[in-house]
């Protein structure tokens, strides 16, 4: 009886603290996404040709762990089948965080945007609790000096 009570208390605590941490992280993600929206991230494979750019690979990596409550729910869902929705929000947070870290790297280089973005995702199993690793990478487009943009335009002005 005591063991069942301890298990219930741990599940409730896992749910409450996990939910609180997730809400805080989503709030920070929204703030950081608004602050970095001036650097678009596009999935196209073809770079722009409007001016001369230097190109550099940038990446952002994150590992986000699940809480015990999500792991418990995912275990129940695995028994009965269906979408494992507890891990969907974890994966969404991981992807968004990795893109923001990649954007931070691009901004530090002076890039105007990142193209050809790709994701690598892997599950890291640590006992009964899962963690997700997400790597976002792409090519940062860094404008070269104004004189090197288009020499024919520089002479017209």
């Amino acid at each position: 009886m005591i063991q069942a009570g301890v298990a219930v208390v741990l599940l409730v605590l896992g749910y409450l603290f996990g939910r609180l941490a997730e809400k805080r992280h989503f709030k920070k993600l929204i703030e950081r996404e608004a602050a970095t929206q001036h650097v678009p991230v596009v999935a196209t494979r073809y770079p722009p040709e409007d001016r001369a750019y230097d190109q550099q690979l940038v990446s952002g990596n994150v590992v986000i762990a699940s809480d015990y409550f999500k792991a418990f729910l995912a275990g129940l869902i695995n028994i009965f089948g269906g979408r494992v929705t507890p891990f969907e929000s974890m994966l969404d947070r991981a992807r968004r965080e990795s893109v923001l870290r990649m954007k931070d790297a691009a901004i530090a280089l002076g890039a105007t945007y990142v193209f050809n973005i790709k994701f690598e995702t892997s599950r890291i199993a640590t006992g009964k609790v899962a963690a997700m690793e997400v790597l976002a990478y792409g090519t940062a487009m860094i404008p070269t000096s104004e004189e090197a943009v288009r020499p024919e335009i520089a002479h017209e002005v």
Side-chain angles (χ1 to χ4, degrees):
M1 184 69 176
I2 293 176
Q3 291 176 344
V6 169
V8 169
V9 168
L10 288 177
L11 283 176
V12 170
L13 287 175
Y15 172 76
L16 293 176
F17 284 110
R19 184 108 166 126
L20 180 65
E22 190 173 68
K23 280 186 177 184
R24 285 181 181 168
H25 191 219
F26 272 124
K27 184 177 178 183
K28 288 180 184 177
L29 285 174
I30 291 168
E31 291 169 1
R32 289 174 53 211
E33 285 169 344
T36 61
Q37 82 180 48
H38 66 281
V39 179
V41 175
V42 293
T44 182
R45 293 176 42 192
Y46 303 105
E49 298 176 1
D50 62 334
R51 61 184 303 171
Y53 290 97
D54 289 328
Q55 301 175 7
Q56 186 167 339
L57 178 70
V58 290
S59 64
N61 188 18
V62 67
V63 176
I64 293 185
S66 173
D67 56 59
Y68 283 106
F69 184 76
K70 284 185 180 185
F72 176 75
L73 275 179
L76 288 178
I77 292 169
N78 282 336
I79 292 171
F80 299 107
R83 286 178 39 199
V84 187
T85 54
F87 288 148
E88 288 179 0
S89 66
M90 185 175 76
L91 187 57
D92 179 43
R93 287 175 36 223
R95 284 187 182 144
R96 290 169 67 181
E97 179 68 35
S98 66
V99 168
L100 285 170
R101 290 181 182 188
M102 180 190 63
K103 277 183 154 186
D104 289 342
I107 290 168
L109 294 171
T112 54
Y113 69 93
V114 180
F115 84 101
N116 200 21
I117 182 175
K118 305 285 185 206
F119 289 99
E120 295 288 330
T121 305
S122 62
R123 182 173 183 263
I124 302 170
T126 56
K128 292 185 179 184
V129 179
M132 299 297 288
E133 177 192 21
V134 176
L135 168 68
Y137 60 95
T139 305
M141 302 300 290
I142 307 161
T144 59
S145 63
E146 289 300 319
E147 295 82 32
V149 174
R150 285 189 178 169
E152 67 275 4
I153 294 175
H155 294 292
E156 292 175 9
V157 177

